[in-house]
Amino acid sequence: MAAAADLVVLGGQVLTVDENFTIASAVAVANGRIAAVGDDETIRPWIDPKTDVIELRGRTVLPGINDAHLHLALFGTSRPPFSLDLTVVDSLAALQQAFADAASEPPDNRWLTGHGWREATITEYAKGVAPHRAHLDKATGDHPALLEHASGHAVLVNSAALRLAGITAETPDPTGGQIVRDHAGEPTGMLLESAGLLATRHAPPLTQQQRLAAIASAMHTLNSLGITSVTDPIVWPELLRDYTALHRQDRMTIRVNTLLHWGWPSPTTSYERLKLALEYAGISTGLGDDWLRIGGCKLFADGVPTHCTAWLYEPYPGGGTGHLVTEGDDEAARYTELLNIIELVHQHRLQAQIHVTGDRAADAAIDGIVRAIKSDPWPDARHALIHGTLLAERSFPRLAAHGIGVITSSLMKSHSGASIAPAIGERRWANAFPAGALLAAGVHVADSSDAPVTFPDWRRGLATFVGAAPHPFAEVPSALRLTREQAIRLWTTGGAYMEHAEHRKGSISPGMLADLVVLDEDFLTVEDSALHELTPVLTIAGGRRVFDAMVV
């Protein structure tokens, strides 16, 4: 007779997402792990009076969703009450009103901050008006104000913030960044890439209590979407301590795989600083437990197409090819620096996940990984490129041959298309994030939201890659599309593989962590056009209900 289970689900359509994509109807959970999977009659013996029994009535069960690139803490602090939500702002008048309202509240020593604006969604900017501090000054007065771009690679600040930061016409551009200036050489308030740090480092930080509250709120939102695991790709020492505090308080409802970074909010990584940090850290990939682990290091190669800072072979329509954001006086020096920091991370047995959006930057990152592996073999490094927005097809065989993964960003097809497409041209945008071609070439792929760059809705990402996203800029050429089975693997087993965790999670199999999401609909038969409207009604993490909206 089977031992008693803590939780049992019966009468459903359980898509195990195992190697054979087996379909079952019931699952038994004990001690936070999957104890058994099968039909109802096989699982019923696991039930005793203390077992939590869930009758699914035909609903679909999937493994808990794993977002392979999601800034968990930043997602929490980018939302009210910690920051104004600028994703809904559609005009300068609306932007000014939002900040005027915030400035009218009693001051509490905080800067006025907002997150999520895009040029394409603010009418005046979409028509060609350049973002400028003057657009904020009248509404904010002497309150310093900082607006973080949705991409995370630029900020717009007002005149008060420029004064407090000491940014003037004489201030030089920092390595890897640009202070945008007007025809007279005066700062406009737009700060690109590492230049943003010149202002953000002056803003008073949130208290730890506020930070923990923001993270907990973000976890709850993710649980409501069926998400049980994320890789947080920029974790600095203070944030790692925050995650550790939540873990010790038993408040984790999301499993967090961390990528360490010692320079944020600047994307520029100093070799010397990184070398010093790693010499004293004494850590490597895999340190931690099933709720909080060290996954590796986050590195930046280039910027983003929106601001023409992605490094390309073919020039942008308006001229220029972007650049690497590593240190160095010219591209040759920056290229050498990139290769050196990749090798440094590799030598310390930390997985390197590298932000690349341009095809030229991708090739440079691949060069660095290949050099590191050849000089110091590590068979299971699983280094990866993040985004791989404009990867060239000629690079695919090198990725596959050296076990280099790609973490795509399907949600950017709809959220960022209106900004990126004009910057790089329709042809290149149509072929962005080539997940289908990468899989066909034998490359390991996982998908992600990059929240708060986008809202972390895996359903919309799924719909995008099968060719059914409800947005004109999200069209994926038929040759690059995925089957439904391939798409869900990118949000489950794909993310687990990138974490070296495919033997612990990502599928519903005996011995795996008991992370599940229940959908109201039949995942296999719902129309492609309705995939983005799937309804998560129950989320289980480690055998516990962390979100429950299921109506019996």
Side-chain angles (χ1 to χ4, degrees):
M1 179 172 176
D6 300 316
L7 180 145
V8 161
V9 296
L10 297 169
Q13 179 178 243
V14 180
L15 306 185
T16 64
V17 196
D18 63 8
E19 184 177 355
N20 299 312
F21 210 78
T22 307
I23 300 176
S25 66
V27 181
V29 172
N31 300 316
R33 291 185 177 268
I34 305 296
V37 182
D39 58 29
D40 287 12
E41 294 311 308
T42 301
I43 300 303
R44 286 190 188 280
W46 289 84
I47 298 173
D48 79 356
K50 295 182 180 179
T51 303
D52 181 7
V53 180
I54 301 171
E55 296 284 353
L56 295 173
R57 292 176 169 78
R59 295 180 175 93
T60 297
V61 182
L62 290 171
I65 300 301
N66 189 336
D67 192 318
H69 184 90
L70 184 152
H71 304 269
L72 178 59
L74 295 178
F75 176 56
T77 57
S78 71
R79 292 150 57 85
F82 307 103
S83 183
L84 296 176
D85 180 8
L86 303 183
T87 62
V88 297
V89 169
D90 60 3
S91 68
L92 284 180
L95 181 69
Q96 291 161 351
Q97 186 61 54
F99 275 89
D101 292 344
S104 68
E105 298 176 0
D108 60 356
N109 199 38
R110 283 197 301 159
W111 284 30
L112 303 176
T113 62
H115 182 275
W117 69 279
R118 302 174 189 271
E119 292 88 346
T121 55
I122 295 178
T123 302
E124 292 85 352
Y125 293 165
K127 292 180 178 179
V129 175
H132 198 280
R133 54 189 163 84
H135 301 154
L136 292 174
D137 287 349
K138 185 176 180 180
T140 56
D142 291 331
H143 292 282
L146 185 150
L147 287 68
E148 187 166 353
H149 193 272
S151 68
H153 287 256
V155 295
L156 174 63
V157 298
N158 67 352
S159 296
L162 287 175
R163 286 195 298 273
L164 284 174
I167 301 172
T168 68
E170 286 71 43
T171 305
D173 287 344
T175 298
Q178 179 188 357
I179 301 170
V180 179
R181 307 167 196 270
D182 62 21
H183 65 279
E186 294 293 332
T188 66
M190 274 291 284
L191 307 173
L192 307 184
E193 304 297 344
S194 63
L197 181 60
L198 298 176
T200 57
R201 66 188 178 191
H202 293 279
L206 298 175
T207 66
Q208 186 184 48
Q209 183 178 4
Q210 290 172 321
R211 297 194 307 266
L212 297 189
I215 296 169
S217 175
M219 286 185 176
H220 176 73
T221 298
L222 298 183
N223 289 152
S224 73
L225 294 166
I227 298 170
T228 57
S229 289
V230 303
T231 288
D232 188 327
I234 298 180
V235 176
W236 55 95
E238 181 183 64
L239 177 52
L240 186 59
R241 287 192 288 270
D242 288 346
Y243 284 145
T244 301
L246 285 169
H247 190 9
R248 288 174 176 167
Q249 297 168 17
D250 195 27
R251 296 171 64 187
M252 302 285 283
T253 61
I254 293 287
R255 303 186 191 279
V256 181
N257 180 59
T258 63
L259 300 182
L260 305 178
H261 189 81
W262 283 270
W264 189 252
S266 170
T268 301
T269 300
S270 161
Y271 176 87
E272 292 302 325
R273 184 175 188 177
L274 185 59
K275 181 181 179 182
L276 183 64
L278 294 180
E279 282 178 354
Y280 288 99
I283 53 176
S284 61
T285 289
L287 180 66
D289 61 20
D290 290 327
W291 285 102
L292 182 60
R293 297 176 72 82
I294 302 297
C297 283
K298 166 72 173 288
L299 305 174
F300 285 87
D302 64 348
V304 291
T306 306
H307 304 303
C308 299
T309 53
W311 198 30
L312 309 177
Y313 287 110
E314 179 186 335
Y316 290 93
T321 57
H323 53 82
L324 292 173
V325 296
T326 43
E327 292 188 330
D329 294 331
D330 54 35
E331 285 300 355
R334 289 189 282 271
Y335 173 83
T336 299
E337 180 81 350
L338 175 63
L339 268 59
N340 288 341
I341 62 176
I342 291 172
E343 188 166 36
L344 178 64
V345 169
H346 176 90
Q347 289 170 343
H348 282 269
R349 290 302 180 262
L350 282 160
Q351 178 196 46
Q353 290 198 13
I354 308 163
H355 167 109
V356 297
T357 59
D359 50 1
R360 196 172 179 183
D363 283 347
I366 295 169
D367 289 347
I369 293 171
V370 171
R371 188 183 78 166
I373 292 172
K374 286 183 176 179
S375 65
D376 180 15
W378 177 15
D380 200 31
R382 304 190 192 182
H383 300 310
L385 307 184
I386 297 170
H387 307 310
T389 312
L390 302 174
L391 273 170
E393 188 174 356
R394 63 179 176 276
S395 302
F396 298 176
R398 295 181 74 204
L399 293 168
H402 296 283
I404 304 169
V406 177
I407 298 164
T408 53
S409 306
S410 59
L411 285 159
M412 288 189 186
K413 289 289 280 184
S414 56
H415 282 75
S416 305
S419 297
I420 300 178
I424 60 174
E426 297 289 345
R427 172 183 54 80
R428 282 187 282 193
W429 179 242
N431 292 284
F433 309 111
L438 287 165
L439 289 176
V443 179
H444 286 283
V445 183
D447 202 16
S448 68
S449 66
D450 199 12
V453 175
T454 73
F455 186 75
D457 192 341
W458 62 276
R459 301 167 299 177
R460 191 171 290 270
L462 196 83
T464 296
F465 274 164
V466 302
H471 195 286
F473 285 104
E475 183 67 24
V476 174
S478 57
L480 301 180
R481 292 177 187 173
L482 305 180
T483 66
R484 199 170 295 198
E485 177 181 327
Q486 287 176 317
I488 197 59
R489 287 188 185 279
L490 264 58
W491 289 92
T492 52
T493 57
Y497 179 86
M498 295 295 178
E499 296 180 22
H500 295 80
E502 73 275 19
H503 300 300
R504 299 193 308 275
K505 63 179 180 178
S507 65
I508 304 174
S509 306
M512 292 288 195
L513 296 167
D515 300 343
L516 312 169
V517 55
V518 178
L519 306 176
D520 242 0
E521 299 83 2
D522 183 337
F523 178 82
L524 295 178
T525 62
V526 66
E527 294 291 332
D528 284 352
S529 60
L531 281 172
H532 69 286
E533 297 176 327
L534 291 168
T535 312
V537 293
L538 177 67
T539 305
I540 295 167
R544 295 181 296 160
R545 300 189 193 212
V546 293
F547 170 75
D548 191 350
M550 193 165 72
V551 177
V552 177

